[in-house]
Amino acid sequence: MSLFGLKFGKKKLKEEERHLQANKRDFNLQFEYANNSIKTSKYNFFTFLPLNLFEQFQRIANAYFLFLLILQLIPQISSLAWFTTVVPLVLVLAVSGVKDAIDDFNRHKSDKHVNNRPVQVLINGMLKDEKWMNVQVGDIIKLENNNFVTADLLLLSSSEPHSLTYIETAELDGETNLKVKQALTVTAELGEDLQKLTEFNGEVKCEAPNNKLDKFTGTLTLRGEKYALDNEKMLLRGCTIRNTEWCFGLVIYAGPDTKLMQNSGKTTFKRTSIDRLMNVLVLMIFGFLALMCLILAIGNGIWESDKGYNFQVYLPWAEGVNSASYSGFLMFWSYVIILNTVVPISLYVSVEIIRLGNSFYIDWDRKMYYPLNDTPAQARTTTLNEELGQIKYIFSDKTGTLTQNIMCFNKCSINGKSYGDVYDMSGQRIEITENTEKVDFSYNPLADPKFAFYDHSLVEAVKLSDVPTHRFFRLLSLCHTVMPEEKKEGNLVYQAQSPDEGALVTAARNFGFVFRARTPETITVVEMGETKIYELLAILDFNNVRKRMSVIVRSPEGDLTLYCKGADTILYELLHPSCDSLKEETTEHLNEFAGEGLRTLVVAYKNLDEEYFQDWIKRHHEASTALEGREDKLSEIYEEIEKDLMLLGATAIEDKLQDGVPQTIETLAKAHIKIWVLTGDKQETAMNIGYSCNLLNDDMADVFVIEGSTSDDVLSELRNARKKMKPESFLDSDEINIQFEKSSKKTKLLPDEQANGVYGLVINGHSLAYALEENLELELVRTACMCKVVICCRVTPLQKAQVVELVKKYKKAVTLAIGDGANDVSMIKTAHIGVGISGQEGMQAVLSSDFSFAQFRYLQRLLLVHGRWSYIRMCKFLKYFFYKNFAFTLVHFWYGFFSGFSAQTVYDEWFITLYNLVYTSLPVLGMSLFDQDVDDRWSLLFPQLYVPGQQNLYFNKIVFVKCMLQGIYSSLILFFIPFGAMYNTMRSDGKAIADYQSFALMAQTSLLIVVSVQIGLDTSYWTVVNQFFIWGSLSVYFAITFTMYSDGMYLIFTASFPFVGTARNTLSQPNVWLAIFLSIALCVLPVVGFRFLKAQLRPTASDKVLLKIKEAKKRPPPPSPKRRLRRTSTRRSGYAFSHQHGFGALIMSGRNMRPKSPFATTGTFSPNSDKHKHKGL
């Protein structure tokens, strides 16, 4: 049963196999399969208070203050009122509770939005509108074009021929090219006949829910026949239906069982490293507190037995105390209460306020606002700010994060001439900007208006009927697997299987070779206004080994031609010897294109002999119908005809990076941040982007590619890479080898290892699966962390999370994951910091993130400016806070030795109450919210300033011990100087002022001025607010002191204000002020001297950079010119299309052809079109 959202009763058994029947809810309900509602929230109305309080009391300090409150309720030991602890404790719990409630409310809202989406469900022979959350396993549902897929479905039938359905999987794997799914023939016959669909009673047996996106095995039993089911027949939640008017599906997995949710990872409670350190420090302070209380308790026992026992008449023991040892026991607890201010609860209130303030700065930062889609940066979590200043590893998605996922036909080389650059009158190449004049394609009524090209000479060549140029564009219009659609006359829309293909066909269209229609046997092209129908005789399909595709066509004039496009490394081997000189010129252009990070392809053709072709096509048919070794036979046949090709030229496509990506990566690298790219894309595509955004470059000593297909292969490849980078890491004397030889269940952290050069590592998803196994994970993390850059390709969402988890497990480093799609959610949740880009692939990544913005380039500002400032401010705050409270509290300790260890407080009770809440709270908050050692411009110009945060240099256990020692030293000065100055002292009129109250006032005045001077020394950036807070706090102290110690307050509240007249009597004496200034000088001068000498004699790297900045400020540098990063690389991309193997065969079979218009209106391809903007799972 479910009570308050908590489940009780028998534990659900682990599912081994799923068994369900279509349209039989009663049968399926017996298995208790999850329904389609999802839940990402943590609390409900009834569980919020108990669960949230339970979480909050896991903080050691909160539990300690609760314990302290209980102690204060015991009259025998309490020397302070109970409300001094209750009020701040309730305030802390309330602030944190409200924040958690708001976060969870937003999660509830998101869940509700998704769960209440409408979908058509087949119930009792009728389609009814239901909410997503009410869909059950075994239901048949209808989806329409552009709908999100509700659950994991078995495709039954669709509006397309042969029940094909086109889906976009951007939310699952980041790829925006369309995938094709096809229903079984036996279910395709159901069509949209509701009667047949209602009578459908197929029985499905399949694997239990799992997170493998690319695998599914099961069987469908229908009318006694068994049919095999695989992933090609499944529509997964998170996909979007495209170019398909309708389809019907049977729900196999729902809600939390869907592959998307299985990949989404758990929401974990994220805490910063400073939070974890504070827990350790609080334990250390408790130990120190207990030691002090024990010393004072023992002192009390000795004093009471030695002296107190003898004059009980004058100082009677408390009621119930009958021995010195019992008195000492009670004093132990009394001192626990008095000395508790070493860990004041206001510390946690202040930390929350500082984090909240610093997160508002991120929200308000106009330099991180993206006006094009009105998206400001957003700190969605307010508890992780300072960790942004400590990032060592960034894990980034590629598609939509580094790239815009827009392909542009940028340049080309035709017959040895390069096109695409623009030159001025003097023949100098000029950079293309928004103001550069575009080529006018108005002469072509079928041109795509969004296509932009700037080199007018190419249009002239086309208009002059230059034969090689015409042949080049004819090839681009014929050699592809694109599907056209023309609902209105002249309004052409291309549906490309990869965006690269779409870009090439669109380029041909604009230059006058318009691909207009296709059937299984023909391709219709409008060439320079004249419609020509080519007979399509064969498609020699692409695969990963061939890295090329060819088509064989017969022109209207009867000429037989083979057109081929592919990777230059492959095609150059197939060229006719007569092309050698042209090959050299084209290679030069290819190197130039590759140097600019463009994706290149080589195109070639061959005229065929009719007799030879007829013989070849017979053998091709035999190979394509062979039962054994079909792939190998086809490959041989293809290679036979793809020989002696004539080179036409090369194309260069730009996979548009987001603005500022190369510069951002360069800046982050200078800050010693390592970047790993985790993408679902192909290896070739990922490496191209790696080169174009300056992650990989030719200056690297080597780029290792790990692509082993067995565990042993992967191990061998990883070890070979490590051997090259650091041969000595294989020696027995290597400290890591020694460390890991000792068996231990506890995970050991790996120290940083330096390679002997700059290296990159590329690993594909298949090999990564082996590398993530327990016996190989250490080898993977050692090898990968030596590299400057790591690129993981073809990875699943769960593998992304596993890679992040691996680095967290073995490295003492803070990780950040950044992505924009649902496939990045698990990685974002796993990393210490998750950043969502509100961009192309819906809002799921943003909803799961801690911080979000619109462009990757804002990451450098988030880390190097906001992150660094937040970290420095938090560290300064903690150092100062611990110092001022040690100095404040330990005066009580020294006083105990002079007051018979009687747990009497040094200060007035009102001063104790107001010290942390009023007198010292605002100055430290002012520093923690406004301080900056350098402004944002210098922070970005000198990324090296970020390094101390990664090494946690500004606040750690050693720094804490230094603060503690400084606090102990100050407390000694603050006790003994006023004590010595007051001892047997007379006023100027001969009256004594050597009384307890005068001493207390002098000590607390000295303390407050010392801590105010200290915060002045700690402040780097003075504002009006800082000045006001510091001087204001001192003024308030004197105002309150003179008021509370006045005659009037004593007459009104006699018991509460016993220090009558002390302020005006004591603070009017010159010798008192002299002693106060002596205390201040002795506390502050050693600090100033130490800091000066340290900066002069042993400056840190940051000190040196700050000195450079100081000198640079005297003579401001000229503004740095905006430069476009260009790489010099000889590497060229291979055939990097996101092609699906076998798509050519699908076209030739005609199964994806419609009797009506070829494609629906969605899925518009244009090189500059905005990607479909949608929200989804």
Side-chain angles (χ1 to χ4, degrees), residues 845-980:
V846 170
L847 292 173
S848 305
S849 67
D850 305 306
F851 300 89
S852 68
F853 42 69
Q855 293 277 292
F856 181 84
R857 69 175 183 271
Y858 298 147
L859 185 61
Q860 63 179 328
R861 190 167 177 82
L862 182 74
L863 301 188
L864 304 185
V865 178
H866 292 287
R868 192 174 152 273
W869 282 350
S870 293
Y871 173 68
I872 289 173
R873 287 166 183 166
M874 185 59 75
C875 293
K876 278 191 174 185
F877 164 78
L878 291 172
K879 284 192 287 190
Y880 174 75
F881 211 93
F882 283 123
Y883 160 72
K884 79 181 177 71
N885 282 293
F886 271 108
F888 167 71
T889 308
L890 288 176
V891 174
H892 290 301
F893 180 74
W894 311 122
Y895 184 56
F897 290 91
F898 295 85
S899 63
F901 305 97
S902 58
Q904 185 184 357
T905 57
V906 176
Y907 318 112
D908 167 24
E909 202 172 70
W910 283 102
F911 180 79
I912 293 171
T913 308
L914 297 174
Y915 177 73
N916 277 313
L917 288 176
V918 177
Y919 300 148
T920 60
S921 59
L922 288 178
V924 73
L925 280 178
M927 179 185 73
S928 309
L929 290 172
F930 302 110
D931 203 47
Q932 41 182 271
D933 53 350
V934 292
D935 65 21
D936 54 346
R937 190 168 63 99
W938 295 108
S939 294
L940 293 168
L941 276 174
F942 291 92
Q944 308 92 302
L945 286 169
Y946 189 79
V947 176
Q950 294 171 333
Q951 297 167 352
N952 212 6
L953 295 181
Y954 292 148
F955 190 75
N956 50 45
K957 288 174 189 166
I958 294 168
V959 171
F960 170 72
V961 170
K962 285 179 185 173
C963 295
M964 196 169 150
L965 292 173
Q966 188 190 348
I968 292 169
Y969 166 74
S970 294
S971 70
L972 279 164
I973 300 293
L974 291 167
F975 175 76
F976 284 104
I977 297 288
F979 183 80

Side-chain angles (χ1 to χ4, degrees), residues 3 56 96 108 127 154 255 257 288 326 340 354 447 525 542 571 635 642 675 704 726 859 990 1005:
L3 178 67
Q56 293 212 52
S96 298
H108 271 286
L127 284 172
L154 170 66
D257 291 343
F288 182 62
Y326 186 55
N340 82 76
I354 292 163
V525 178
F542 159 88
L571 244 67
S635 189
E642 289 172 328
I675 298 177
F704 305 109
K726 191 181 180 185
L859 185 61
T1005 305

Side-chain angles (χ1 to χ4, degrees), residues 813-837:
V814 181
T815 59
L816 178 145
I818 179 168
D820 70 325
N823 58 318
D824 304 313
V825 167
S826 52
M827 164 175 89
I828 284 169
K829 285 181 177 177
T830 306
H832 293 102
I833 303 275
V835 177
I837 288 190

